[in-house]
Amino acid sequence: MIAYEVIYVILISACLLGLNCRYNGGNNLDKELMKYLKDKEYVIACPEQLGGLPTPRNPSEIVFGDGKEVLDGKSRVKDNKGQDVTMSFIKGARETLKIAKLYNVKTAILKEKSPSCGNVAIYDGSFCGKLKEGSGITAELLKQNGILVFNENNYKENI
Ligand code: SF4
């Protein structure tokens, strides 16, 4: 009988590994995380790009509540010019979930504070740099599908 090894793939926010997919065209390169992933299997995704948003793009925030309220149709995502970009954020979350399922992802390390990837705190919708507790839309959808979601600050003690 052949024994197959189960490979656990970790999903990573693309900007944490240096892809210039942030709203301002930059990245959030995390060299510690890169070192940590050296001997691991991982896949990267940027939900906002997967949702069809351009780079660079206007910054966006969840108006009230968090990703759960957006997925439940009770809140919206707006950019700093007041444009409603909710559907792009939801599409990006769903596309990211598809990738996670394709690679049998059980764990994700996503960028904190983002309206897509944030998973402990997100910006509060005022565009004043203030935070509130909660998850971004992609982080919430992954959690609802049984994936453990961490961020660049807390993955080491949890994975
Ligand atoms: S959506 Fe996520 S991966 Fe894309 S730039 Fe924002 S934090 Fe990074």
Side-chain angles (χ1 to χ4, degrees):
M1 194 173 119
I2 302 169
Y4 292 99
E5 188 189 352
V6 179
I7 294 174
Y8 293 100
V9 178
I10 306 171
L11 177 74
I12 312 286
S13 289
C15 60
L16 287 173
L17 296 188
L19 263 81
N20 291 330
C21 52
R22 284 191 71 199
Y23 74 91
N24 61 3
N27 64 67
N28 296 305
L29 178 63
D30 187 316
K31 290 184 179 162
E32 275 296 308
L33 178 60
M34 280 190 95
K35 255 190 255 168
Y36 172 81
L37 292 170
K38 225 173 164 189
D39 57 354
K40 296 177 177 62
E41 300 283 335
Y42 61 89
V43 61
I44 62 172
C46 173
E48 289 171 27
Q49 287 194 336
L50 287 167
L53 292 167
T55 304
R57 55 190 171 276
N58 294 328
S60 298
E61 297 188 5
I62 295 173
V63 177
F64 61 86
D66 72 352
K68 183 173 185 314
E69 273 74 35
V70 176
L71 290 169
D72 289 346
K74 294 176 183 161
S75 184
R76 311 295 295 172
V77 189
K78 288 194 178 171
D79 72 17
N80 63 343
K81 306 280 184 233
Q83 193 183 337
D84 190 317
V85 286
T86 308
M87 292 322 294
S88 298
F89 275 70
I90 291 176
K91 181 175 189 290
R94 289 179 179 153
E95 293 299 321
T96 304
L97 178 62
K98 272 190 213 168
I99 292 172
K101 286 186 171 172
L102 194 66
Y103 285 91
N104 193 29
V105 164
K106 304 284 183 226
T107 307
I109 301 171
L110 303 185
K111 179 74 185 79
E112 187 58 332
K113 302 178 189 170
S114 151
S116 292
C117 295
N119 51 86
V120 172
I122 53 174
Y123 289 109
D124 74 349
S126 65
F127 294 95
C128 294
K130 287 191 201 146
L131 297 171
K132 60 185 171 187
E133 268 182 42
S135 292
I137 297 142
T138 294
E140 177 63 26
L141 188 64
L142 295 181
K143 286 182 198 174
Q144 288 181 5
N145 283 271
I147 295 170
L148 295 171
V149 180
F150 303 107
N151 60 51
E152 70 275 25
N153 302 314
N154 67 8
Y155 68 94
K156 278 189 187 158
E157 61 261 35
N158 288 297
I159 299 181

